[in-house]
Coordinates of all heavy atoms in Angstrom, one line a residue:
S209 N -0.7 9.9 9.0 CA -2.1 10.0 9.1 C -2.7 8.6 9.1 O -3.7 8.3 9.8 CB -2.7 10.9 8.0 OG -2.4 10.4 6.8
L210 N -2.1 7.7 8.4 CA -2.7 6.3 8.3 C -2.5 5.6 9.7 O -3.4 4.9 10.1 CB -2.0 5.5 7.3 CG -2.3 5.8 5.8 CD1 -1.4 5.0 4.9 CD2 -3.7 5.6 5.5
K211 N -1.5 5.9 10.4 CA -1.3 5.4 11.7 C -2.4 5.9 12.7 O -2.9 5.1 13.5 CB 0.1 5.8 12.3 CG 0.4 5.2 13.6 CD 1.8 5.6 14.1 CE 2.1 5.1 15.5 NZ 3.5 5.5 15.9
L212 N -2.7 7.1 12.6 CA -3.8 7.7 13.4 C -5.1 7.0 13.1 O -5.9 6.8 14.0 CB -3.9 9.2 13.3 CG -2.7 10.0 13.8 CD1 -2.8 11.5 13.4 CD2 -2.6 9.8 15.3
I213 N -5.4 6.8 11.8 CA -6.7 6.3 11.4 C -6.8 4.8 11.7 O -7.8 4.3 12.2 CB -6.9 6.5 9.9 CG1 -7.0 8.0 9.5 CG2 -8.1 5.8 9.4 CD1 -6.8 8.3 8.1
L214 N -5.7 4.0 11.5 CA -5.8 2.6 11.6 C -5.3 2.0 12.9 O -5.5 0.8 13.2 CB -5.1 2.0 10.4 CG -5.6 2.3 9.0 CD1 -4.7 1.9 7.9 CD2 -7.0 1.7 8.8
G215 N -4.5 2.8 13.6 CA -3.7 2.2 14.8 C -4.6 1.6 15.9 O -4.2 0.7 16.5
D216 N -5.8 2.2 16.1 CA -6.7 1.6 17.1 C -7.5 0.4 16.6 O -8.1 -0.3 17.5 CB -7.7 2.7 17.5 CG -7.1 3.8 18.3 OD1 -6.0 3.7 18.9 OD2 -7.7 4.9 18.4
H217 N -7.4 0.1 15.4 CA -8.2 -1.0 14.8 C -7.4 -2.2 14.4 O -7.9 -3.3 14.3 CB -9.0 -0.5 13.6 CG -9.9 0.7 13.9 ND1 -11.1 0.6 14.6 CD2 -9.7 2.0 13.7 CE1 -11.6 1.8 14.7 NE2 -10.8 2.6 14.2
Y218 N -6.1 -2.0 14.0 CA -5.3 -3.0 13.4 C -3.8 -3.0 14.0 O -3.4 -1.9 14.4 CB -5.2 -2.8 11.9 CG -6.5 -2.9 11.2 CD1 -7.2 -1.7 10.9 CD2 -7.1 -4.1 10.9 CE1 -8.5 -1.8 10.3 CE2 -8.3 -4.2 10.3 CZ -9.0 -3.0 10.0 OH -10.2 -3.1 9.4
N219 N -3.2 -4.1 13.9 CA -1.7 -4.1 14.3 C -1.0 -3.6 13.0 O -1.2 -4.2 11.9 CB -1.3 -5.5 14.6 CG -1.9 -6.0 15.9 OD1 -2.1 -5.3 16.8 ND2 -2.2 -7.3 16.0
L220 N -0.2 -2.6 13.2 CA 0.5 -2.0 12.0 C 2.0 -2.2 12.1 O 2.6 -2.3 13.1 CB 0.2 -0.5 12.0 CG -1.2 0.0 12.1 CD1 -1.3 1.5 12.1 CD2 -2.0 -0.5 10.8
I221 N 2.5 -2.3 10.9 CA 4.0 -2.3 10.7 C 4.3 -1.2 9.8 O 3.7 -1.1 8.7 CB 4.5 -3.6 10.1 CG1 4.2 -4.8 10.9 CG2 6.0 -3.6 9.8 CD1 4.4 -6.2 10.3
L222 N 5.1 -0.2 10.2 CA 5.4 1.0 9.4 C 6.7 0.9 8.8 O 7.7 0.4 9.4 CB 5.3 2.2 10.3 CG 4.0 2.4 11.0 CD1 4.0 3.6 11.9 CD2 2.8 2.5 10.1
A223 N 6.8 1.3 7.5 CA 8.1 1.3 6.8 C 8.3 2.7 6.2 O 7.4 3.4 5.8 CB 8.1 0.3 5.7
E224 N 9.6 3.2 6.2 CA 9.9 4.5 5.8 C 10.1 4.6 4.3 O 10.1 5.7 3.7 CB 11.2 5.0 6.5 CG 10.9 5.2 8.0 CD 12.1 5.8 8.7 OE1 13.1 6.3 8.0 OE2 12.2 5.7 9.9
D225 N 10.4 3.4 3.6 CA 10.6 3.4 2.2 C 10.3 2.0 1.7 O 10.0 1.1 2.4 CB 12.1 3.9 1.8 CG 13.1 3.0 2.5 OD1 13.1 1.8 2.4 OD2 14.1 3.6 3.1
G226 N 10.4 1.9 0.4 CA 10.1 0.6 -0.3 C 11.0 -0.5 0.1 O 10.5 -1.7 0.3
M227 N 12.3 -0.3 0.2 CA 13.2 -1.3 0.6 C 12.9 -1.9 2.0 O 12.9 -3.1 2.2 CB 14.7 -0.8 0.6 CG 15.1 -0.4 -0.8 SD 15.1 -1.7 -2.0 CE 16.3 -2.8 -1.4
Q228 N 12.6 -1.0 2.9 CA 12.2 -1.4 4.3 C 10.9 -2.1 4.3 O 10.7 -3.1 5.0 CB 12.1 -0.2 5.2 CG 12.0 -0.5 6.6 CD 11.9 0.7 7.6 OE1 11.3 1.7 7.2 NE2 12.5 0.6 8.7
A229 N 10.0 -1.8 3.4 CA 8.7 -2.5 3.3 C 8.9 -3.9 2.8 O 8.3 -4.9 3.4 CB 7.8 -1.7 2.4
L230 N 9.8 -4.1 1.8 CA 10.1 -5.4 1.3 C 10.7 -6.3 2.4 O 10.4 -7.5 2.6 CB 11.0 -5.3 0.1 CG 10.3 -4.8 -1.2 CD1 11.3 -4.5 -2.2 CD2 9.2 -5.7 -1.7
D231 N 11.6 -5.7 3.2 CA 12.3 -6.4 4.3 C 11.2 -6.8 5.4 O 11.3 -7.8 5.9 CB 13.4 -5.5 5.0 CG 14.6 -5.4 4.1 OD1 14.8 -6.3 3.2 OD2 15.4 -4.5 4.4
C232 N 10.3 -5.9 5.7 CA 9.2 -6.2 6.6 C 8.4 -7.4 6.2 O 8.1 -8.2 7.1 CB 8.3 -5.0 6.8 SG 8.9 -3.6 7.7
L233 N 8.1 -7.5 4.9 CA 7.4 -8.7 4.5 C 8.2 -10.0 4.6 O 7.6 -11.0 4.9 CB 7.0 -8.5 3.0 CG 5.8 -7.5 2.8 CD1 5.6 -7.3 1.3 CD2 4.6 -8.0 3.5
K234 N 9.5 -9.9 4.5 CA 10.3 -11.1 4.7 C 10.3 -11.6 6.1 O 10.3 -12.8 6.4 CB 11.8 -10.8 4.3 CG 12.0 -10.7 2.8 CD 13.4 -10.4 2.5 CE 13.5 -10.1 1.0 NZ 14.8 -9.6 0.6
N235 N 10.2 -10.6 7.1 CA 10.2 -10.9 8.5 C 8.8 -11.1 9.1 O 8.7 -11.5 10.3 CB 11.0 -9.8 9.2 CG 12.4 -9.7 8.8 OD1 13.1 -10.8 8.6 ND2 12.9 -8.5 8.6
A236 N 7.8 -10.7 8.4 CA 6.4 -10.8 8.9 C 5.5 -11.4 7.8 O 4.7 -10.7 7.1 CB 5.9 -9.5 9.3
P237 N 5.6 -12.7 7.5 CA 4.9 -13.3 6.4 C 3.4 -13.3 6.5 O 2.6 -13.6 5.6 CB 5.4 -14.7 6.3 CG 5.9 -15.0 7.7 CD 6.4 -13.7 8.3
D238 N 2.8 -13.0 7.7 CA 1.4 -13.0 7.9 C 0.7 -11.7 7.7 O -0.4 -11.5 8.1 CB 1.1 -13.5 9.3 CG 1.7 -12.7 10.4 OD1 2.6 -11.9 10.2 OD2 1.2 -12.8 11.6
V239 N 1.4 -10.7 7.0 CA 0.8 -9.4 6.7 C -0.4 -9.6 5.9 O -0.4 -10.4 4.9 CB 1.8 -8.5 6.0 CG1 1.2 -7.3 5.5 CG2 2.9 -8.2 7.0
G240 N -1.5 -9.0 6.2 CA -2.8 -9.2 5.5 C -3.0 -8.2 4.4 O -3.8 -8.4 3.5
L241 N -2.4 -7.0 4.5 CA -2.7 -5.9 3.6 C -1.6 -4.9 3.7 O -1.1 -4.6 4.7 CB -4.0 -5.2 3.9 CG -4.4 -4.0 3.1 CD1 -4.8 -4.4 1.7 CD2 -5.7 -3.4 3.8
V242 N -1.2 -4.3 2.5 CA -0.2 -3.2 2.5 C -0.9 -2.0 1.9 O -1.6 -2.1 0.9 CB 1.0 -3.6 1.6 CG1 1.9 -2.5 1.3 CG2 1.7 -4.8 2.2
L243 N -0.7 -0.9 2.5 CA -1.1 0.4 2.0 C 0.2 1.1 1.7 O 1.1 1.3 2.6 CB -1.9 1.2 3.0 CG -3.3 0.8 3.2 CD1 -3.4 -0.2 4.3 CD2 -4.2 1.9 3.4
M244 N 0.4 1.6 0.5 CA 1.7 2.1 0.1 C 1.5 3.3 -0.9 O 0.7 3.3 -1.8 CB 2.4 1.0 -0.7 CG 3.8 1.4 -1.1 SD 4.8 -0.1 -1.7 CE 3.6 -1.0 -2.7
D245 N 2.3 4.3 -0.6 CA 2.3 5.5 -1.4 C 3.1 5.2 -2.7 O 4.0 4.4 -2.7 CB 3.0 6.6 -0.7 CG 2.6 8.0 -1.1 OD1 2.3 8.2 -2.4 OD2 2.4 8.9 -0.3
I246 N 2.7 5.9 -3.8 CA 3.4 5.7 -5.0 C 4.8 6.4 -5.0 O 5.8 5.9 -5.5 CB 2.6 6.1 -6.2 CG1 1.5 5.1 -6.4 CG2 3.4 6.3 -7.5 CD1 0.5 5.4 -7.5
K247 N 4.8 7.6 -4.4 CA 6.0 8.4 -4.4 C 6.7 8.2 -3.0 O 6.2 8.5 -2.0 CB 5.7 9.9 -4.5 CG 6.9 10.8 -4.7 CD 6.5 12.2 -5.1 CE 7.8 13.0 -5.1 NZ 7.8 14.0 -6.1
M248 N 7.9 7.5 -3.1 CA 8.7 7.2 -1.9 C 10.1 7.3 -2.3 O 10.5 7.2 -3.5 CB 8.4 5.7 -1.5 CG 7.0 5.4 -1.1 SD 6.8 3.8 -0.4 CE 7.3 2.7 -1.8
P249 N 11.0 7.4 -1.3 CA 12.4 7.5 -1.5 C 13.0 6.1 -1.9 O 12.4 5.1 -1.6 CB 13.0 7.9 -0.2 CG 12.0 7.6 0.8 CD 10.6 7.6 0.1
K250 N 14.1 6.1 -2.6 CA 14.8 4.9 -3.0 C 14.2 4.2 -4.2 O 14.8 3.9 -5.2 CB 15.2 4.0 -1.9 CG 16.0 4.7 -0.8 CD 16.4 3.7 0.3 CE 17.1 4.4 1.4 NZ 17.4 3.6 2.5
M251 N 12.9 3.7 -4.0 CA 12.2 3.0 -5.1 C 10.8 3.6 -5.1 O 10.2 3.9 -4.0 CB 12.0 1.5 -4.7 CG 13.3 0.7 -4.7 SD 12.9 -1.0 -4.2 CE 12.1 -1.7 -5.6
N252 N 10.2 3.8 -6.3 CA 8.8 4.3 -6.2 C 7.9 3.1 -5.9 O 8.2 2.0 -6.0 CB 8.5 5.1 -7.5 CG 8.2 4.2 -8.7 OD1 7.5 3.2 -8.6 ND2 8.8 4.5 -9.9
G253 N 6.7 3.5 -5.6 CA 5.7 2.5 -5.1 C 5.4 1.5 -6.2 O 5.1 0.3 -5.8
L254 N 5.4 1.8 -7.4 CA 5.1 0.9 -8.5 C 6.2 -0.2 -8.6 O 5.9 -1.4 -8.8 CB 4.8 1.6 -9.8 CG 3.6 2.5 -9.9 CD1 3.5 3.2 -11.2 CD2 2.3 1.7 -9.6
E255 N 7.4 0.2 -8.4 CA 8.5 -0.7 -8.4 C 8.4 -1.7 -7.2 O 8.6 -2.9 -7.4 CB 9.9 0.0 -8.4 CG 10.2 0.9 -9.6 CD 11.4 1.8 -9.4 OE1 11.6 2.3 -8.3 OE2 12.1 2.0 -10.4
V256 N 8.1 -1.1 -6.1 CA 7.9 -1.9 -4.9 C 6.8 -2.9 -5.1 O 6.8 -4.1 -4.7 CB 7.8 -1.1 -3.6 CG1 7.6 -1.9 -2.4 CG2 9.0 -0.2 -3.5
L257 N 5.7 -2.4 -5.6 CA 4.5 -3.2 -5.9 C 4.8 -4.4 -6.7 O 4.5 -5.6 -6.4 CB 3.4 -2.4 -6.5 CG 2.1 -3.2 -7.0 CD1 1.4 -3.8 -5.8 CD2 1.2 -2.2 -7.7
A258 N 5.6 -4.2 -7.8 CA 5.9 -5.3 -8.7 C 6.8 -6.3 -8.0 O 6.5 -7.5 -8.1 CB 6.7 -4.7 -9.9
Q259 N 7.7 -5.9 -7.1 CA 8.5 -6.8 -6.4 C 7.7 -7.6 -5.3 O 7.8 -8.8 -5.2 CB 9.7 -6.1 -5.7 CG 10.7 -7.0 -5.1 CD 11.5 -7.8 -6.1 OE1 11.7 -7.4 -7.2 NE2 11.8 -9.0 -5.7
M260 N 6.8 -6.9 -4.7 CA 6.0 -7.5 -3.6 C 5.1 -8.6 -4.3 O 5.0 -9.7 -3.7 CB 5.0 -6.5 -3.0 CG 5.7 -5.7 -1.9 SD 4.4 -4.6 -1.2 CE 5.5 -3.8 0.1
K261 N 4.5 -8.3 -5.4 CA 3.6 -9.2 -6.0 C 4.4 -10.4 -6.6 O 3.8 -11.5 -6.7 CB 2.8 -8.6 -7.1 CG 1.8 -7.5 -6.6 CD 0.8 -8.1 -5.6 CE -0.3 -8.8 -6.2 NZ -1.4 -9.2 -5.2
K262 N 5.6 -10.2 -7.0 CA 6.4 -11.3 -7.4 C 6.7 -12.3 -6.3 O 6.7 -13.5 -6.4 CB 7.8 -10.8 -8.0 CG 8.6 -11.9 -8.6 CD 10.0 -11.5 -9.0 CE 10.2 -10.4 -9.9 NZ 11.5 -10.2 -10.4
E263 N 7.0 -11.7 -5.1 CA 7.4 -12.5 -4.0 C 6.2 -13.0 -3.2 O 6.2 -14.0 -2.5 CB 8.3 -11.7 -3.0 CG 9.7 -11.4 -3.7 CD 10.5 -10.5 -2.9 OE1 10.2 -10.3 -1.7 OE2 11.5 -10.0 -3.4
H264 N 5.1 -12.2 -3.2 CA 3.9 -12.6 -2.5 C 2.6 -12.3 -3.4 O 1.9 -11.3 -3.2 CB 3.8 -11.7 -1.2 CG 5.0 -11.7 -0.4 ND1 5.2 -12.6 0.6 CD2 6.1 -10.8 -0.4 CE1 6.4 -12.4 1.2 NE2 6.9 -11.3 0.6
P265 N 2.4 -13.2 -4.3 CA 1.4 -12.9 -5.3 C -0.1 -12.8 -4.8 O -0.9 -12.1 -5.4 CB 1.4 -14.1 -6.2 CG 2.3 -15.1 -5.6 CD 3.1 -14.4 -4.5
K266 N -0.4 -13.3 -3.6 CA -1.7 -13.2 -3.1 C -1.9 -12.0 -2.1 O -3.0 -11.8 -1.7 CB -2.1 -14.5 -2.3 CG -2.2 -15.7 -3.3 CD -2.6 -16.9 -2.6 CE -2.7 -18.1 -3.6 NZ -3.3 -19.3 -3.0
L267 N -0.8 -11.3 -1.9 CA -0.9 -10.2 -1.0 C -1.7 -9.0 -1.5 O -1.5 -8.6 -2.7 CB 0.5 -9.7 -0.7 CG 0.7 -8.5 0.3 CD1 0.2 -8.8 1.7 CD2 2.1 -8.0 0.3
N268 N -2.6 -8.5 -0.8 CA -3.4 -7.3 -1.2 C -2.7 -6.1 -0.9 O -2.1 -5.9 0.2 CB -4.8 -7.3 -0.5 CG -5.8 -8.3 -1.0 OD1 -5.7 -8.7 -2.2 ND2 -6.7 -8.8 -0.2
V269 N -2.6 -5.2 -1.9 CA -1.9 -3.9 -1.8 C -2.8 -2.8 -2.3 O -3.3 -2.9 -3.4 CB -0.6 -3.9 -2.6 CG1 0.2 -2.6 -2.5 CG2 0.3 -5.1 -2.2
I270 N -3.0 -1.8 -1.5 CA -3.7 -0.6 -1.9 C -2.7 0.5 -2.1 O -1.9 0.8 -1.2 CB -4.7 -0.2 -0.8 CG1 -5.8 -1.3 -0.6 CG2 -5.4 1.2 -1.2 CD1 -6.7 -1.0 0.5
M271 N -2.7 1.1 -3.3 CA -1.8 2.2 -3.6 C -2.4 3.5 -3.2 O -3.6 3.7 -3.4 CB -1.4 2.2 -5.1 CG -0.8 0.9 -5.6 SD 0.7 0.4 -4.7 CE 1.8 1.8 -5.1
I272 N -1.6 4.4 -2.7 CA -2.1 5.8 -2.3 C -1.2 6.8 -3.0 O 0.0 6.6 -3.1 CB -1.9 6.0 -0.8 CG1 -2.8 4.9 0.0 CG2 -2.3 7.4 -0.4 CD1 -2.6 4.9 1.4
T273 N -1.9 7.8 -3.5 CA -1.1 8.8 -4.3 C -1.7 10.2 -4.1 O -2.9 10.3 -3.9 CB -1.0 8.5 -5.8 OG1 -0.2 9.5 -6.4 CG2 -2.3 8.4 -6.4
G274 N -0.9 11.2 -4.3 CA -1.4 12.6 -4.3 C -1.7 13.1 -5.7 O -2.1 14.2 -5.9
Y275 N -1.4 12.2 -6.7 CA -1.6 12.6 -8.1 C -2.6 11.7 -8.7 O -2.5 10.5 -8.9 CB -0.2 12.4 -8.8 CG 0.9 13.1 -8.2 CD1 1.8 12.4 -7.4 CD2 1.1 14.4 -8.3 CE1 2.8 13.1 -6.7 CE2 2.1 15.1 -7.7 CZ 3.0 14.4 -6.9 OH 4.0 15.1 -6.3
K276 N -3.7 12.3 -9.1 CA -4.8 11.6 -9.8 C -4.4 11.4 -11.3 O -4.5 12.4 -12.0 CB -6.1 12.4 -9.7 CG -7.3 11.6 -10.0 CD -8.6 12.4 -9.7 CE -9.8 11.5 -9.9 NZ -11.0 12.2 -9.5
S277 N -4.1 10.2 -11.6 CA -3.6 9.9 -13.0 C -4.2 8.6 -13.4 O -4.0 7.5 -12.7 CB -2.1 9.8 -13.0 OG -1.7 9.2 -14.2
V278 N -4.9 8.6 -14.5 CA -5.5 7.3 -15.0 C -4.4 6.3 -15.4 O -4.5 5.1 -15.1 CB -6.4 7.6 -16.2 CG1 -6.9 6.4 -16.9 CG2 -7.6 8.5 -15.8
E279 N -3.3 6.8 -16.0 CA -2.2 6.0 -16.4 C -1.6 5.3 -15.2 O -1.3 4.1 -15.2 CB -1.2 6.8 -17.2 CG -1.7 7.3 -18.5 CD -2.4 8.6 -18.4 OE1 -2.3 9.3 -17.3 OE2 -3.1 9.0 -19.3
T280 N -1.4 6.0 -14.1 CA -0.7 5.5 -12.9 C -1.7 4.5 -12.3 O -1.2 3.4 -11.9 CB -0.4 6.6 -11.9 OG1 0.5 7.5 -12.6 CG2 0.4 6.0 -10.8
A281 N -2.9 4.8 -12.2 CA -3.9 3.8 -11.6 C -3.9 2.6 -12.4 O -4.0 1.5 -11.9 CB -5.3 4.5 -11.5
A282 N -4.0 2.7 -13.7 CA -4.0 1.5 -14.6 C -2.7 0.7 -14.5 O -2.8 -0.6 -14.4 CB -4.2 1.9 -16.1
E283 N -1.6 1.3 -14.3 CA -0.3 0.6 -14.1 C -0.3 -0.1 -12.8 O 0.1 -1.3 -12.7 CB 0.8 1.6 -14.2 CG 2.2 0.9 -14.0 CD 2.6 0.0 -15.2 OE1 2.0 0.0 -16.3 OE2 3.5 -0.8 -15.0
A284 N -0.9 0.5 -11.8 CA -0.9 -0.1 -10.4 C -1.8 -1.4 -10.5 O -1.4 -2.4 -9.9 CB -1.5 0.9 -9.4
V285 N -3.0 -1.3 -11.1 CA -3.9 -2.4 -11.3 C -3.2 -3.5 -12.1 O -3.2 -4.7 -11.7 CB -5.2 -2.0 -11.9 CG1 -6.1 -3.2 -12.2 CG2 -6.0 -1.1 -10.9
K286 N -2.5 -3.1 -13.2 CA -1.8 -4.1 -14.0 C -0.8 -4.9 -13.2 O -0.6 -6.1 -13.4 CB -1.2 -3.4 -15.2 CG -0.4 -4.3 -16.1 CD 0.1 -3.4 -17.3 CE 1.3 -4.1 -18.0 NZ 2.0 -3.3 -18.9
L287 N -0.1 -4.2 -12.3 CA 0.9 -4.8 -11.5 C 0.4 -5.6 -10.3 O 1.1 -6.2 -9.6 CB 1.9 -3.7 -10.9 CG 2.8 -3.1 -12.0 CD1 3.5 -1.9 -11.4 CD2 3.8 -4.1 -12.6
G288 N -1.0 -5.5 -10.1 CA -1.6 -6.3 -9.1 C -2.2 -5.6 -7.9 O -2.6 -6.3 -6.9
A289 N -2.2 -4.3 -7.9 CA -2.9 -3.6 -6.8 C -4.4 -3.9 -6.7 O -5.0 -4.0 -7.8 CB -2.7 -2.1 -6.9
C290 N -4.9 -4.0 -5.5 CA -6.3 -4.3 -5.4 C -7.2 -3.0 -5.2 O -8.4 -3.0 -5.3 CB -6.6 -5.2 -4.3 SG -6.1 -4.6 -2.6
G291 N -6.5 -1.9 -5.0 CA -7.1 -0.6 -4.8 C -6.2 0.6 -5.0 O -5.0 0.4 -5.1
Y292 N -6.8 1.7 -5.2 CA -6.1 3.0 -5.5 C -6.8 4.1 -4.8 O -8.0 4.4 -5.1 CB -6.1 3.1 -7.0 CG -5.2 4.2 -7.6 CD1 -3.9 4.0 -7.9 CD2 -5.7 5.5 -7.8 CE1 -3.1 5.0 -8.4 CE2 -5.0 6.5 -8.4 CZ -3.6 6.2 -8.7 OH -2.8 7.2 -9.2
I293 N -6.1 4.8 -3.9 CA -6.8 5.9 -3.2 C -6.0 7.2 -3.4 O -4.7 7.2 -3.4 CB -6.8 5.6 -1.7 CG1 -7.6 4.4 -1.4 CG2 -7.3 6.8 -0.9 CD1 -7.6 3.9 0.0
V294 N -6.7 8.3 -3.7 CA -6.1 9.6 -4.0 C -6.2 10.4 -2.8 O -7.2 10.5 -2.1 CB -6.8 10.2 -5.2 CG1 -6.2 11.6 -5.5 CG2 -6.7 9.4 -6.5
K295 N -5.0 11.1 -2.5 CA -5.0 12.1 -1.4 C -5.5 13.4 -1.8 O -5.4 13.7 -3.0 CB -3.5 12.3 -0.9 CG -2.8 11.1 -0.4 CD -1.4 11.6 0.0 CE -0.4 10.5 -0.2 NZ 1.0 11.0 0.0
P296 N -6.1 14.2 -1.0 CA -6.4 13.8 0.4 C -7.6 12.9 0.5 O -8.5 12.9 -0.3 CB -6.8 15.2 1.0 CG -7.4 16.0 -0.2 CD -6.6 15.5 -1.4
F297 N -7.5 12.0 1.5 CA -8.5 11.0 1.7 C -9.2 11.2 3.0 O -8.7 11.9 3.9 CB -7.9 9.5 1.6 CG -6.7 9.4 2.5 CD1 -6.8 9.3 3.8 CD2 -5.4 9.3 1.9 CE1 -5.6 9.1 4.6 CE2 -4.3 9.2 2.6 CZ -4.4 9.0 4.0
K298 N -10.3 10.6 3.1 CA -11.1 10.7 4.4 C -10.9 9.4 5.2 O -10.7 8.3 4.6 CB -12.6 10.9 4.1 CG -12.8 12.2 3.4 CD -14.3 12.5 3.2 CE -14.5 13.9 2.8 NZ -15.1 14.3 1.8
S299 N -10.9 9.6 6.5 CA -10.7 8.4 7.4 C -11.7 7.3 7.0 O -11.3 6.1 7.0 CB -11.0 8.8 8.9 OG -10.1 9.8 9.3
G300 N -12.9 7.6 6.8 CA -13.9 6.5 6.4 C -13.5 5.8 5.2 O -13.8 4.6 5.1
E301 N -13.0 6.5 4.2 CA -12.6 5.8 3.0 C -11.4 4.8 3.2 O -11.5 3.7 2.7 CB -12.1 6.9 2.0 CG -11.6 6.4 0.6 CD -11.1 7.5 -0.3 OE1 -10.9 8.7 0.2 OE2 -10.9 7.2 -1.4
I302 N -10.5 5.2 4.0 CA -9.4 4.3 4.4 C -9.9 3.1 5.1 O -9.6 1.9 4.8 CB -8.3 5.0 5.2 CG1 -7.6 6.1 4.4 CG2 -7.3 4.0 5.8 CD1 -6.8 5.6 3.2
L303 N -10.7 3.3 6.2 CA -11.3 2.2 7.0 C -12.1 1.3 6.1 O -12.0 0.0 6.3 CB -12.1 2.7 8.1 CG -11.3 3.4 9.2 CD1 -12.2 4.2 10.2 CD2 -10.4 2.4 10.0
K304 N -12.9 1.8 5.2 CA -13.7 1.0 4.3 C -12.9 0.1 3.4 O -13.1 -1.1 3.2 CB -14.7 1.9 3.5 CG -15.6 1.1 2.6 CD -16.5 2.1 1.9 CE -17.4 1.4 0.9 NZ -18.3 2.3 0.2
S305 N -11.8 0.7 2.8 CA -11.0 0.0 1.9 C -10.2 -1.1 2.6 O -10.1 -2.2 2.1 CB -10.0 0.9 1.2 OG -10.6 1.8 0.3
V306 N -9.7 -0.8 3.8 CA -8.9 -1.8 4.6 C -9.8 -3.0 5.0 O -9.5 -4.1 4.8 CB -8.3 -1.1 5.8 CG1 -7.7 -2.2 6.8 CG2 -7.2 -0.2 5.4
K307 N -11.0 -2.6 5.4 CA -12.0 -3.7 5.8 C -12.3 -4.6 4.6 O -12.4 -5.8 4.8 CB -13.2 -3.1 6.4 CG -14.2 -4.1 7.0 CD -15.4 -3.4 7.6 CE -16.3 -4.4 8.2 NZ -17.5 -3.8 8.9
K308 N -12.4 -4.0 3.5 CA -12.8 -4.8 2.3 C -11.7 -5.7 1.9 O -12.0 -6.9 1.4 CB -13.1 -3.8 1.1 CG -13.4 -4.4 -0.2 CD -13.7 -3.4 -1.2 CE -14.0 -4.1 -2.6 NZ -14.2 -3.1 -3.6
F309 N -10.4 -5.4 2.0 CA -9.3 -6.2 1.5 C -8.5 -6.9 2.5 O -7.6 -7.7 2.1 CB -8.4 -5.3 0.6 CG -9.1 -4.8 -0.6 CD1 -9.4 -3.4 -0.8 CD2 -9.4 -5.7 -1.6 CE1 -10.0 -3.0 -1.9 CE2 -10.0 -5.2 -2.8 CZ -10.3 -3.9 -3.0
I310 N -8.8 -6.7 3.8 CA -8.0 -7.4 4.8 C -8.4 -8.9 4.9 O -9.5 -9.2 4.7 CB -8.1 -6.7 6.2 CG1 -7.0 -7.2 7.1 CG2 -9.4 -6.9 6.9 CD1 -5.8 -6.3 7.2

């Protein structure tokens, strides 16, 4: 759904899991923003976020989740996320957040 919402407006790099996302950042250092789900295979999004921020401290990352949890949101912010979006989301919400942090 993110590809459908953002594909006409931005150049996208898609990753299937956290390990692939970390590899993408090594090969594409000019990435302006990451949108990442918390629940992913191999590594959860919070683990990937911590690694991303260690390697790319200025990178903006928006976390997306289907679980509305104050604890998870607080942990994401503590780890360096600039935003937190709960599914289901609206197209306008995604576009507004991306425009704000890109």
Side-chain angles (χ1 to χ4, degrees):
S209 61
L210 291 173
K211 182 178 178 182
L212 291 173
I213 295 167
L214 299 170
D216 290 340
H217 306 281
Y218 300 98
N219 293 324
L220 305 178
I221 300 171
L222 305 175
E224 293 182 17
D225 59 50
M227 296 300 294
Q228 189 179 38
L230 291 169
D231 286 343
C232 286
L233 285 176
K234 289 178 186 170
N235 297 318
D238 60 341
V239 170
L241 175 68
V242 172
L243 284 93
M244 181 169 48
D245 207 322
I246 288 179
K247 187 171 179 151
M248 297 187 298
K250 299 183 184 175
M251 294 175 74
N252 76 46
L254 295 176
E255 293 169 327
V256 178
L257 173 62
Q259 188 66 35
M260 280 183 179
K261 294 304 280 188
K262 186 191 301 187
E263 295 174 11
H264 308 276
K266 294 184 179 184
L267 180 64
N268 285 332
V269 180
I270 298 173
M271 301 304 295
I272 300 173
T273 184
Y275 307 101
K276 192 172 188 177
S277 163
V278 174
E279 294 84 14
T280 305
E283 182 67 17
V285 170
K286 180 179 160 190
L287 291 171
C290 62
Y292 188 88
I293 297 173
V294 179
K295 297 179 212 173
F297 48 76
K298 294 185 168 119
S299 299
E301 180 183 11
I302 294 294
L303 289 167
K304 182 179 176 182
S305 292
V306 168
K307 187 176 181 180
K308 179 179 178 181
F309 292 111
I310 193 102

